[in-house]
Amino acid sequence: MGRAPCCDKANVKKGPWSAEEDAKLKAYMEEHGTGGNWIALPQKIGLKRCGKSCRLRWLNYLRPDIKHGGFTEEEDQIICSLYISIGSRWSIIAAQLPGRTDNDIKNYWNTRLKKKLLGKRRDQPRRLHPNRSDEEVNRIGVKNENQTLSASALERMQLHMQLQGPYNPNINPFSFYNSPMLWPKHHPVLGDARVSQIQALSTNHFNVVANPILRGSTIIDDAALTESMNANMIQEDLIGFPSSSSMETSSSNFDSITQGGIQVDLQNLVFNNYDPSLLGNQLLANDHLEELESCKQIYGSEREFASNNFWLACNGLTIDESTMGYPSDSAAMGTTQLDCVPRYEDL
DNA sequence: AAAATGGGCAACCGCTTTCTG
DNA sequence: ACAGAAAGCGGTTGCCCATTT
């Protein structure tokens, strides 16, 4: 037996909202709020709508503080950087952009921003397999996705590689490191001074990030890091999460803070190794094999991005460039080892 | 001028998470 | 601790409008 429907589907109106319906809902909301019950609301105000529909209409359209359209460069940067960091968690991204809704950002990303940032690479599978039929190309793409990276993870890796660039990470305006608005304003344990120090260093050293794998480096000493990790705060706070969620509560939309932290660690492990002259993951990873193993346990079967990157990092997977959107010059042979990612046996 | 196509966006659907008794 | 209800969330759909053929 399935779950009971939230409303009587047969007697509920669907489709676009009329001005009259909007006015009714708006007037009631401004006077009373939901009263804590969206399901009961439509009946109270005589609307033949599902409660969920009312909620959506209010949150995405009628709320007084909503901004529509006209995304700024600054907002683009935030969306892009957060998408790379956490993926399609639109509600979290929306929380960073006052007046924007998750739906709005999702639509904007899917219809415009993604194309703006990745558009030029879309024809690569076709170009890399000029003698294959569309069906074959599609099949290859799907197969490789299943074996290596999901579409979302791929997209984020492509974006990251495209936007950070292997050797010129500091010049790109979308870089996390060049987006001070993404940096923490305050850290409850490390304090403002240390955060400032991290930020200052970050602008000069691509590899310097608030990353537990970097513990023992000159940036964050073990004691401070351990203390902050014990407080379950550092990861979210340092990747620019809403300070209220990390400071006032011990949880957030991540499954747990620790897992969230590991997710970020893995991204950094993979991505911060483009330039071999920089710190280098091998040294870092050697010191933290145990930690990596625990990541593997946690992420072996879930959290596609983290697990994919973990496996990339640990198994040195071969990736088909047709799905990676690699620079065409180096992609002629169809597959390659990602030379920016350390092979497990090399760690 | 009409049909076809594609982009943008609001709204829906159904699953997951959180809340409440 | 548990179950059911409500809310939250992200993926998808479908409509409308502008552009292209």
mmCIF file of all heavy atoms in Angstrom, chain A residues 3 14-15 52-53 56-57 107 111-112, chain B residues 7-16:
data_model
loop_
_atom_site.group_PDB
_atom_site.id
_atom_site.type_symbol
_atom_site.label_atom_id
_atom_site.label_comp_id
_atom_site.label_asym_id
_atom_site.label_seq_id
_atom_site.Cartn_x
_atom_site.Cartn_y
_atom_site.Cartn_z
ATOM 1 N N ARG A 3 1.631 5.488 -0.027
ATOM 2 C CA ARG A 3 1.384 6.555 0.930
ATOM 3 C C ARG A 3 0.145 7.362 0.527
ATOM 4 O O ARG A 3 -0.143 7.536 -0.658
ATOM 5 C CB ARG A 3 2.617 7.446 0.877
ATOM 6 C CG ARG A 3 2.534 8.675 1.626
ATOM 7 C CD ARG A 3 3.781 9.427 1.248
ATOM 8 N NE ARG A 3 3.966 10.451 2.222
ATOM 9 C CZ ARG A 3 5.081 11.116 2.331
ATOM 10 N NH1 ARG A 3 6.094 10.834 1.560
ATOM 11 N NH2 ARG A 3 5.192 12.039 3.223
ATOM 12 N N LYS A 14 -4.335 22.554 -11.426
ATOM 13 C CA LYS A 14 -2.912 22.522 -11.765
ATOM 14 C C LYS A 14 -2.606 23.611 -12.785
ATOM 15 O O LYS A 14 -3.500 24.249 -13.308
ATOM 16 C CB LYS A 14 -2.546 21.165 -12.368
ATOM 17 C CG LYS A 14 -2.500 20.033 -11.383
ATOM 18 C CD LYS A 14 -1.987 18.820 -12.102
ATOM 19 C CE LYS A 14 -1.894 17.613 -11.202
ATOM 20 N NZ LYS A 14 -1.375 16.454 -11.934
ATOM 21 N N GLY A 15 -1.356 23.766 -13.074
ATOM 22 C CA GLY A 15 -0.952 24.721 -14.099
ATOM 23 C C GLY A 15 -0.700 26.109 -13.544
ATOM 24 O O GLY A 15 -0.676 26.303 -12.323
ATOM 25 N N LYS A 52 1.304 21.880 -1.372
ATOM 26 C CA LYS A 52 2.674 21.941 -1.857
ATOM 27 C C LYS A 52 2.806 22.981 -2.960
ATOM 28 O O LYS A 52 3.817 23.669 -3.073
ATOM 29 C CB LYS A 52 3.097 20.562 -2.419
ATOM 30 C CG LYS A 52 3.350 19.542 -1.352
ATOM 31 C CD LYS A 52 3.648 18.185 -1.943
ATOM 32 C CE LYS A 52 5.075 18.086 -2.428
ATOM 33 N NZ LYS A 52 5.452 16.686 -2.770
ATOM 34 N N SER A 53 1.759 23.039 -3.770
ATOM 35 C CA SER A 53 1.771 24.000 -4.864
ATOM 36 C C SER A 53 1.765 25.435 -4.310
ATOM 37 O O SER A 53 2.476 26.308 -4.819
ATOM 38 C CB SER A 53 0.552 23.761 -5.753
ATOM 39 O OG SER A 53 0.509 24.692 -6.787
ATOM 40 N N LEU A 56 5.211 26.297 -2.958
ATOM 41 C CA LEU A 56 6.138 26.577 -4.049
ATOM 42 C C LEU A 56 5.882 27.954 -4.655
ATOM 43 O O LEU A 56 6.811 28.708 -4.951
ATOM 44 C CB LEU A 56 5.971 25.499 -5.121
ATOM 45 C CG LEU A 56 7.233 24.948 -5.738
ATOM 46 C CD1 LEU A 56 8.197 24.479 -4.666
ATOM 47 C CD2 LEU A 56 6.891 23.781 -6.659
ATOM 48 N N ARG A 57 4.606 28.243 -4.848
ATOM 49 C CA ARG A 57 4.259 29.524 -5.458
ATOM 50 C C ARG A 57 4.729 30.675 -4.570
ATOM 51 O O ARG A 57 5.252 31.685 -5.061
ATOM 52 C CB ARG A 57 2.754 29.599 -5.671
ATOM 53 C CG ARG A 57 2.279 30.837 -6.394
ATOM 54 C CD ARG A 57 2.775 30.877 -7.817
ATOM 55 N NE ARG A 57 2.347 32.084 -8.524
ATOM 56 C CZ ARG A 57 2.812 32.475 -9.700
ATOM 57 N NH1 ARG A 57 3.719 31.752 -10.323
ATOM 58 N NH2 ARG A 57 2.376 33.569 -10.266
ATOM 59 N N ASN A 107 17.320 26.619 -12.545
ATOM 60 C CA ASN A 107 16.960 26.952 -13.921
ATOM 61 C C ASN A 107 18.055 27.758 -14.595
ATOM 62 O O ASN A 107 18.404 27.513 -15.745
ATOM 63 C CB ASN A 107 15.653 27.743 -13.962
ATOM 64 C CG ASN A 107 14.450 26.856 -13.754
ATOM 65 O OD1 ASN A 107 14.484 25.672 -14.052
ATOM 66 N ND2 ASN A 107 13.382 27.417 -13.226
ATOM 67 N N THR A 111 20.000 26.336 -17.837
ATOM 68 C CA THR A 111 19.699 26.921 -19.136
ATOM 69 C C THR A 111 20.772 27.886 -19.618
ATOM 70 O O THR A 111 20.929 28.083 -20.810
ATOM 71 C CB THR A 111 18.351 27.672 -19.112
ATOM 72 O OG1 THR A 111 18.404 28.673 -18.100
ATOM 73 C CG2 THR A 111 17.211 26.722 -18.843
ATOM 74 N N ARG A 112 21.496 28.491 -18.709
ATOM 75 C CA ARG A 112 22.434 29.523 -19.178
ATOM 76 C C ARG A 112 23.863 29.350 -18.675
ATOM 77 O O ARG A 112 24.793 29.250 -19.456
ATOM 78 C CB ARG A 112 21.936 30.897 -18.737
ATOM 79 C CG ARG A 112 20.592 31.203 -19.319
ATOM 80 C CD ARG A 112 20.300 32.662 -19.178
ATOM 81 N NE ARG A 112 18.884 32.929 -19.063
ATOM 82 C CZ ARG A 112 18.389 34.131 -18.876
ATOM 83 N NH1 ARG A 112 19.196 35.163 -18.761
ATOM 84 N NH2 ARG A 112 17.094 34.314 -18.787
ATOM 85 P P DG B 7 18.640 25.632 -27.497
ATOM 86 O OP1 DG B 7 20.073 25.932 -27.653
ATOM 87 O OP2 DG B 7 18.200 24.324 -26.955
ATOM 88 O "O5'" DG B 7 17.984 26.786 -26.613
ATOM 89 C "C5'" DG B 7 17.894 28.103 -27.168
ATOM 90 C "C4'" DG B 7 17.254 29.034 -26.153
ATOM 91 O "O4'" DG B 7 15.819 28.829 -26.157
ATOM 92 C "C3'" DG B 7 17.715 28.821 -24.714
ATOM 93 O "O3'" DG B 7 17.845 30.096 -24.121
ATOM 94 C "C2'" DG B 7 16.601 27.987 -24.080
ATOM 95 C "C1'" DG B 7 15.372 28.444 -24.874
ATOM 96 N N9 DG B 7 14.340 27.427 -25.081
ATOM 97 C C8 DG B 7 14.522 26.127 -25.466
ATOM 98 N N7 DG B 7 13.402 25.461 -25.599
ATOM 99 C C5 DG B 7 12.430 26.391 -25.287
ATOM 100 C C6 DG B 7 11.016 26.255 -25.256
ATOM 101 O O6 DG B 7 10.329 25.256 -25.507
ATOM 102 N N1 DG B 7 10.399 27.442 -24.876
ATOM 103 C C2 DG B 7 11.049 28.619 -24.578
ATOM 104 N N2 DG B 7 10.293 29.655 -24.242
ATOM 105 N N3 DG B 7 12.357 28.753 -24.604
ATOM 106 C C4 DG B 7 12.989 27.606 -24.962
ATOM 107 P P DG B 8 18.353 30.238 -22.653
ATOM 108 O OP1 DG B 8 19.170 31.467 -22.602
ATOM 109 O OP2 DG B 8 18.908 28.949 -22.177
ATOM 110 O "O5'" DG B 8 16.997 30.501 -21.867
ATOM 111 C "C5'" DG B 8 16.175 31.591 -22.281
ATOM 112 C "C4'" DG B 8 14.981 31.685 -21.368
ATOM 113 O "O4'" DG B 8 14.031 30.646 -21.710
ATOM 114 C "C3'" DG B 8 15.295 31.507 -19.885
ATOM 115 O "O3'" DG B 8 14.655 32.553 -19.182
ATOM 116 C "C2'" DG B 8 14.733 30.129 -19.528
ATOM 117 C "C1'" DG B 8 13.609 29.971 -20.548
ATOM 118 N N9 DG B 8 13.302 28.602 -20.965
ATOM 119 C C8 DG B 8 14.200 27.619 -21.293
ATOM 120 N N7 DG B 8 13.622 26.501 -21.656
ATOM 121 C C5 DG B 8 12.262 26.767 -21.561
ATOM 122 C C6 DG B 8 11.141 25.942 -21.826
ATOM 123 O O6 DG B 8 11.123 24.765 -22.207
ATOM 124 N N1 DG B 8 9.937 26.612 -21.607
ATOM 125 C C2 DG B 8 9.824 27.915 -21.180
ATOM 126 N N2 DG B 8 8.604 28.392 -21.031
ATOM 127 N N3 DG B 8 10.867 28.701 -20.929
ATOM 128 C C4 DG B 8 12.052 28.064 -21.138
ATOM 129 P P DC B 9 14.896 32.772 -17.662
ATOM 130 O OP1 DC B 9 14.845 34.226 -17.406
ATOM 131 O OP2 DC B 9 16.054 31.974 -17.232
ATOM 132 O "O5'" DC B 9 13.590 32.122 -17.037
ATOM 133 C "C5'" DC B 9 12.318 32.560 -17.515
ATOM 134 C "C4'" DC B 9 11.241 31.604 -17.021
ATOM 135 O "O4'" DC B 9 11.361 30.342 -17.693
ATOM 136 C "C3'" DC B 9 11.287 31.308 -15.522
ATOM 137 O "O3'" DC B 9 10.051 31.690 -14.973
ATOM 138 C "C2'" DC B 9 11.494 29.802 -15.446
ATOM 139 C "C1'" DC B 9 10.963 29.329 -16.789
ATOM 140 N N1 DC B 9 11.511 28.048 -17.301
ATOM 141 C C2 DC B 9 10.628 27.066 -17.756
ATOM 142 O O2 DC B 9 9.411 27.294 -17.713
ATOM 143 N N3 DC B 9 11.130 25.897 -18.215
ATOM 144 C C4 DC B 9 12.437 25.698 -18.243
ATOM 145 N N4 DC B 9 12.883 24.532 -18.714
ATOM 146 C C5 DC B 9 13.363 26.688 -17.794
ATOM 147 C C6 DC B 9 12.858 27.843 -17.330
ATOM 148 P P DA B 10 9.912 31.925 -13.448
ATOM 149 O OP1 DA B 10 9.723 33.380 -13.256
ATOM 150 O OP2 DA B 10 10.950 31.203 -12.691
ATOM 151 O "O5'" DA B 10 8.519 31.211 -13.197
ATOM 152 C "C5'" DA B 10 7.468 31.425 -14.127
ATOM 153 C "C4'" DA B 10 6.499 30.267 -14.057
ATOM 154 O "O4'" DA B 10 7.108 29.080 -14.605
ATOM 155 C "C3'" DA B 10 6.035 29.902 -12.644
ATOM 156 O "O3'" DA B 10 4.642 29.660 -12.711
ATOM 157 C "C2'" DA B 10 6.848 28.648 -12.308
ATOM 158 C "C1'" DA B 10 7.059 28.012 -13.678
ATOM 159 N N9 DA B 10 8.309 27.269 -13.855
ATOM 160 C C8 DA B 10 9.563 27.653 -13.491
ATOM 161 N N7 DA B 10 10.506 26.784 -13.815
ATOM 162 C C5 DA B 10 9.815 25.767 -14.433
ATOM 163 C C6 DA B 10 10.235 24.553 -15.006
ATOM 164 N N6 DA B 10 11.512 24.153 -15.057
ATOM 165 N N1 DA B 10 9.288 23.757 -15.541
ATOM 166 C C2 DA B 10 8.005 24.154 -15.507
ATOM 167 N N3 DA B 10 7.493 25.273 -14.993
ATOM 168 C C4 DA B 10 8.462 26.042 -14.463
ATOM 169 P P DA B 11 3.842 29.360 -11.416
ATOM 170 O OP1 DA B 11 2.482 29.869 -11.630
ATOM 171 O OP2 DA B 11 4.632 29.768 -10.234
ATOM 172 O "O5'" DA B 11 3.780 27.780 -11.424
ATOM 173 C "C5'" DA B 11 3.201 27.124 -12.558
ATOM 174 C "C4'" DA B 11 3.418 25.637 -12.424
ATOM 175 O "O4'" DA B 11 4.803 25.334 -12.640
ATOM 176 C "C3'" DA B 11 3.046 25.024 -11.066
ATOM 177 O "O3'" DA B 11 1.979 24.120 -11.285
ATOM 178 C "C2'" DA B 11 4.327 24.348 -10.586
ATOM 179 C "C1'" DA B 11 5.152 24.210 -11.859
ATOM 180 N N9 DA B 11 6.603 24.239 -11.696
ATOM 181 C C8 DA B 11 7.346 25.194 -11.069
ATOM 182 N N7 DA B 11 8.640 24.964 -11.077
ATOM 183 C C5 DA B 11 8.751 23.757 -11.769
ATOM 184 C C6 DA B 11 9.855 22.967 -12.134
ATOM 185 N N6 DA B 11 11.112 23.277 -11.823
ATOM 186 N N1 DA B 11 9.607 21.833 -12.814
ATOM 187 C C2 DA B 11 8.341 21.526 -13.120
ATOM 188 N N3 DA B 11 7.224 22.184 -12.850
ATOM 189 C C4 DA B 11 7.497 23.309 -12.162
ATOM 190 P P DC B 12 1.375 23.234 -10.153
ATOM 191 O OP1 DC B 12 -0.066 23.121 -10.416
ATOM 192 O OP2 DC B 12 1.866 23.693 -8.841
ATOM 193 O "O5'" DC B 12 2.050 21.828 -10.468
ATOM 194 C "C5'" DC B 12 2.008 21.326 -11.796
ATOM 195 C "C4'" DC B 12 2.786 20.026 -11.879
ATOM 196 O "O4'" DC B 12 4.194 20.295 -11.777
ATOM 197 C "C3'" DC B 12 2.447 19.027 -10.769
ATOM 198 O "O3'" DC B 12 2.164 17.780 -11.385
ATOM 199 C "C2'" DC B 12 3.695 18.990 -9.899
ATOM 200 C "C1'" DC B 12 4.791 19.394 -10.867
ATOM 201 N N1 DC B 12 5.961 20.097 -10.265
ATOM 202 C C2 DC B 12 7.250 19.588 -10.460
ATOM 203 O O2 DC B 12 7.397 18.549 -11.112
ATOM 204 N N3 DC B 12 8.301 20.249 -9.912
ATOM 205 C C4 DC B 12 8.101 21.364 -9.221
ATOM 206 N N4 DC B 12 9.168 21.983 -8.716
ATOM 207 C C5 DC B 12 6.790 21.902 -9.020
ATOM 208 C C6 DC B 12 5.764 21.236 -9.552
ATOM 209 P P DC B 13 1.629 16.551 -10.537
ATOM 210 O OP1 DC B 13 0.721 15.784 -11.414
ATOM 211 O OP2 DC B 13 1.182 17.043 -9.223
ATOM 212 O "O5'" DC B 13 2.950 15.700 -10.318
ATOM 213 C "C5'" DC B 13 3.748 15.327 -11.444
ATOM 214 C "C4'" DC B 13 4.887 14.442 -10.959
ATOM 215 O "O4'" DC B 13 5.930 15.277 -10.423
ATOM 216 C "C3'" DC B 13 4.489 13.454 -9.871
ATOM 217 O "O3'" DC B 13 5.007 12.191 -10.239
ATOM 218 C "C2'" DC B 13 5.123 14.004 -8.604
ATOM 219 C "C1'" DC B 13 6.301 14.815 -9.135
ATOM 220 N N1 DC B 13 6.678 16.040 -8.365
ATOM 221 C C2 DC B 13 8.029 16.314 -8.102
ATOM 222 O O2 DC B 13 8.886 15.515 -8.476
ATOM 223 N N3 DC B 13 8.352 17.440 -7.424
ATOM 224 C C4 DC B 13 7.393 18.278 -7.033
ATOM 225 N N4 DC B 13 7.763 19.380 -6.375
ATOM 226 C C5 DC B 13 6.010 18.034 -7.294
ATOM 227 C C6 DC B 13 5.710 16.912 -7.950
ATOM 228 P P DG B 14 4.443 10.877 -9.487
ATOM 229 O OP1 DG B 14 4.278 9.834 -10.513
ATOM 230 O OP2 DG B 14 3.315 11.229 -8.578
ATOM 231 O "O5'" DG B 14 5.681 10.497 -8.567
ATOM 232 C "C5'" DG B 14 6.982 10.443 -9.167
ATOM 233 C "C4'" DG B 14 8.031 10.482 -8.066
ATOM 234 O "O4'" DG B 14 8.136 11.829 -7.549
ATOM 235 C "C3'" DG B 14 7.722 9.596 -6.854
ATOM 236 O "O3'" DG B 14 8.934 9.071 -6.389
ATOM 237 C "C2'" DG B 14 7.160 10.586 -5.832
ATOM 238 C "C1'" DG B 14 8.077 11.769 -6.137
ATOM 239 N N9 DG B 14 7.646 13.067 -5.643
ATOM 240 C C8 DG B 14 6.367 13.530 -5.480
ATOM 241 N N7 DG B 14 6.321 14.747 -4.996
ATOM 242 C C5 DG B 14 7.641 15.101 -4.842
ATOM 243 C C6 DG B 14 8.216 16.296 -4.351
ATOM 244 O O6 DG B 14 7.644 17.323 -3.947
ATOM 245 N N1 DG B 14 9.614 16.240 -4.347
ATOM 246 C C2 DG B 14 10.355 15.157 -4.778
ATOM 247 N N2 DG B 14 11.676 15.284 -4.699
ATOM 248 N N3 DG B 14 9.832 14.034 -5.231
ATOM 249 C C4 DG B 14 8.466 14.079 -5.232
ATOM 250 P P DC B 15 9.016 7.629 -5.773
ATOM 251 O OP1 DC B 15 9.218 6.697 -6.891
ATOM 252 O OP2 DC B 15 7.915 7.426 -4.794
ATOM 253 O "O5'" DC B 15 10.393 7.744 -4.964
ATOM 254 C "C5'" DC B 15 11.525 8.336 -5.622
ATOM 255 C "C4'" DC B 15 12.296 9.175 -4.624
ATOM 256 O "O4'" DC B 15 11.606 10.413 -4.367
ATOM 257 C "C3'" DC B 15 12.497 8.498 -3.256
ATOM 258 O "O3'" DC B 15 13.894 8.455 -2.979
ATOM 259 C "C2'" DC B 15 11.733 9.374 -2.275
ATOM 260 C "C1'" DC B 15 11.702 10.724 -2.990
ATOM 261 N N1 DC B 15 10.560 11.594 -2.642
ATOM 262 C C2 DC B 15 10.802 12.882 -2.140
ATOM 263 O O2 DC B 15 11.961 13.261 -1.997
ATOM 264 N N3 DC B 15 9.740 13.671 -1.808
ATOM 265 C C4 DC B 15 8.493 13.219 -1.973
ATOM 266 N N4 DC B 15 7.489 14.036 -1.645
ATOM 267 C C5 DC B 15 8.229 11.916 -2.492
ATOM 268 C C6 DC B 15 9.282 11.142 -2.809
ATOM 269 P P DT B 16 14.408 7.809 -1.634
ATOM 270 O OP1 DT B 16 15.711 7.187 -1.933
ATOM 271 O OP2 DT B 16 13.316 7.041 -0.983
ATOM 272 O "O5'" DT B 16 14.685 9.099 -0.739
ATOM 273 C "C5'" DT B 16 15.491 10.146 -1.280
ATOM 274 C "C4'" DT B 16 15.674 11.229 -0.225
ATOM 275 O "O4'" DT B 16 14.432 11.958 -0.049
ATOM 276 C "C3'" DT B 16 16.065 10.700 1.160
ATOM 277 O "O3'" DT B 16 17.140 11.515 1.612
ATOM 278 C "C2'" DT B 16 14.791 10.848 1.992
ATOM 279 C "C1'" DT B 16 14.107 12.040 1.326
ATOM 280 N N1 DT B 16 12.626 12.097 1.385
ATOM 281 C C2 DT B 16 12.020 13.267 1.791
ATOM 282 O O2 DT B 16 12.644 14.252 2.146
ATOM 283 N N3 DT B 16 10.639 13.242 1.782
ATOM 284 C C4 DT B 16 9.839 12.186 1.401
ATOM 285 O O4 DT B 16 8.621 12.289 1.432
ATOM 286 C C5 DT B 16 10.536 10.978 0.984
ATOM 287 C C7 DT B 16 9.751 9.784 0.573
ATOM 288 C C6 DT B 16 11.871 11.003 0.998
#
